[in-house]
Amino acid sequence: MTISYHVKNSLLAIFFMASQACFSQSPDFKKITQLIEKGKNFEALKLLRQIDEKKVSKDKIARKYYYMGKAYSNENINDKSYTYFVKSEKIYKAIDSIPSAMEAKLEIAYGLDVENLSYKTIKKYYTEYLKYTYDSEDPKLISKGNYEMANFLMDQEPVLSQQYYFKALKQNKIVQDEKMYAKIVSGMAMLYNERLKLRDSAIYYYEKALAISRKYNNPDDICFNLMFQSNVYYYKKNHVKAIQLLKEADKVPIVLYVQNTKSRIHQYLSLNYRQLHDYEKAYKEIIESQELGNKDNFRKQNELISDLQTQYETKEKDFENLNLKIKNRNSQLLLYLFVGLLVILSFIGFLTIKFLNKKKKIAEQEKLIESQKLENVLKEQELKEIDKLLEGQEKERIKIANDLHDNLGSLMATLKLNFQNLKLRADSNEESNQLFDKTDDLLEEAYQKVRGIAHAKNAGVIANEGLLPAILNIAKKASVAGKLKVEVIPFGLDERLENAIEVTIFRMIQEILTNAIKHSKATEITIHLTQHQDSLNIIVEDNGKGFNPKNIDKNEGMGLPNIEKKVEHMGGTFTIDSSEGKGASILIDIPL
């Protein structure tokens, strides 16, 4: 920065100040919002600093701080972001603007979460925000509250996170907000991939979100969706597919954080090429990633310097005369050197913290992988024992059925024949004939019951055509015209599963259906069966009176607790979404 520049700037200062007077009194928050949405955060900050807080209302001051916090948050400058969001929330609360105050509080929770601060403290923020959404009784806002809570819980409490995602979907179903639906299923996809390891379910939900992003032609959402999908295929070891998706993402004309996003794409390409042992391409992609990352860091560094200069000049206008700036140029140069040094030190500190965080995450991932290996060995052993138990139970069932049919059935038939011969030889009178007929009827009834029990015991899932026909059959039998409709909605299930798995799933659905019929007073029950490539998703929904899942007796031998244990032994997840007066949904995900 030269002396001539300062002289020129001094001569034009009065005109510059006059041109900004109108903006100071009537801030163009619409333009600021557009700049932030396009990733031009530092341009937005320049406009925000021009707002004269002495000439605007408290509401506008609070909005100014909120957008400053948003701009710094988007650039990952979390200390400044946190400061401005706290200021914004404090003013909004003082002027009793509760909705705006809660949005600012939600942003504070984001910042604290990014910095990995106290989990319990951050959870209080999200819980308070969720309570506020339920108090509003607005399904759209309640859906957002459950979605935010699900995102927060994803790393620490993944099963609970899944429940909140389903609640968010349930509320969003009322308002039919497609864009919010895309956000929810994207979060669910990340949960299934990163935490629950249900890769096919993750792909299923990512594809749903991608269809909506394409519908509204949102290039940034399309790009990130393709990147996240490639991550799923990386874990599935389908590196060719992952590379295809990343190349498609690289061609999307994104608007936000172009260099940083492109750098990540080339980094992920390098990882996949390395797994394919194509080290030449892997090296080429990592070099490209580093070059783009350096460009992004350079851009950010320049914008930080420009922002610091803007802050300095804004404060200077309040305390110094423009003529004094020219006379004290040596002091200014020293200040510029100090600011430059401060920026460099801040940047070095930023890189150091980032490196330490990355190193910490790598160590945590290695520890998690080791624990998962041990857990998988134990689960495999448990599953083998369960398979043996189920096979033994089914053999015993068939043996009992055969004994009933062959032995006791044969004995009953012989007894009936002998009794009829005895009747022919006996003296005939009206009283004895009535006694003979009644006894003959009882023998016939006993014989038919033995045959019925034998057939019922022998007619499980294995004896039928498969799992789906068996479930369709019990649904048909359970339905009562005008009183109860049981509907089965299948997807996939083109091939038979293993015998033990089919038996277990059939028994679980049969038990859930029986419980719903007995206790829920429902008029409609729907059974969703969705088979992905390596997982089976089961949802049983009813419109009955609902119940509190906490009141279930965990020690009872049969029922939902027993089903939950079976699902856990199979390596799956079991979720109950129900409240009194609002029906119930049982959700089961089982890996195949």
Side-chain angles (χ1 to χ4, degrees), residues 114-131:
V114 168
E115 292 300 320
N116 294 319
L117 298 180
S118 170
Y119 180 76
K120 289 184 179 179
T121 301
I122 302 168
K123 193 173 184 178
K124 286 181 181 178
Y125 279 91
Y126 282 99
T127 303
E128 187 176 349
Y129 182 80
L130 184 61
K131 182 180 181 300

Side-chain angles (χ1 to χ4, degrees), residues 149-166:
M149 179 63 85
N151 285 346
F152 166 69
L153 294 170
M154 185 183 296
D155 291 335
Q156 299 286 342
E157 300 178 75
V159 175
L160 189 58
S161 171
Q162 184 187 36
Q163 294 177 22
Y164 278 105
Y165 276 128
F166 281 122

Side-chain angles (χ1 to χ4, degrees), residues 372-386 567-572:
Q372 285 176 342
K373 285 180 180 177
L374 178 59
E375 186 180 344
N376 288 337
V377 170
L378 294 173
K379 282 188 176 180
E380 286 178 7
Q381 187 62 34
E382 287 180 359
L383 288 173
K384 288 179 181 178
E385 294 299 325
I386 291 169
V567 173
E568 288 176 356
H569 278 301
M570 297 175 76

Side-chain angles (χ1 to χ4, degrees), residues 297-456:
N297 289 334
F298 184 74
R299 172 198 66 83
K300 189 170 181 178
Q301 184 178 3
N302 285 339
E303 289 180 334
L304 277 168
I305 293 170
S306 176
D307 183 53
L308 285 170
Q309 182 182 334
T310 303
Q311 293 180 55
Y312 167 73
E313 290 176 352
T314 302
K315 290 180 181 178
E316 199 172 35
K317 287 172 189 174
D318 297 332
F319 303 103
E320 294 183 359
N321 188 288
L322 291 173
N323 292 326
L324 237 129
K325 283 172 38 176
I326 299 172
K327 292 179 181 179
N328 297 328
R329 60 188 175 88
N330 290 333
S331 298
Q332 289 178 9
L333 288 172
L334 183 62
L335 183 59
Y336 291 145
L337 288 172
F338 174 74
V339 170
L341 180 62
L342 182 63
V343 171
I344 293 170
L345 289 174
S346 298
F347 185 67
I348 292 172
F350 168 75
L351 290 177
T352 303
I353 292 170
K354 190 174 181 180
F355 173 75
L356 291 174
N357 285 338
K358 189 173 183 180
K359 189 174 180 181
K360 182 182 176 182
K361 286 181 179 179
I362 291 172
E364 289 175 350
Q365 287 175 349
E366 289 176 349
K367 186 177 180 181
L368 181 63
I369 289 169
E370 289 300 320
S371 64
Q372 285 176 342
K373 285 180 180 177
L374 178 59
E375 186 180 344
N376 288 337
V377 170
L378 294 173
K379 282 188 176 180
E380 286 178 7
Q381 187 62 34
E382 287 180 359
L383 288 173
K384 288 179 181 178
E385 294 299 325
I386 291 169
D387 287 341
K388 289 180 181 178
L389 179 62
L390 288 171
E391 186 179 353
Q393 288 176 344
E394 197 64 24
K395 287 180 178 179
E396 185 64 23
R397 187 183 294 272
I398 293 170
K399 183 177 181 300
I400 293 170
N402 290 335
D403 287 344
L404 283 170
H405 185 273
D406 297 341
N407 298 329
L408 188 56
S410 176
L411 182 63
M412 290 294 296
T414 303
L415 179 61
K416 188 174 186 300
L417 183 62
N418 290 339
F419 180 77
Q420 288 173 345
N421 289 332
L422 183 63
K423 178 183 176 182
L424 294 172
R425 295 179 183 179
D427 295 333
S428 296
N429 59 63
E430 185 177 351
E431 184 178 353
S432 62
N433 285 338
Q434 288 179 354
L435 182 61
F436 275 121
D437 290 341
K438 187 174 182 180
T439 305
D440 189 41
D441 290 341
L442 288 173
L443 284 171
E444 177 64 23
E445 183 180 351
Y447 175 67
Q448 292 300 331
K449 282 185 178 180
V450 169
R451 291 184 75 249
I453 292 170
H455 286 295

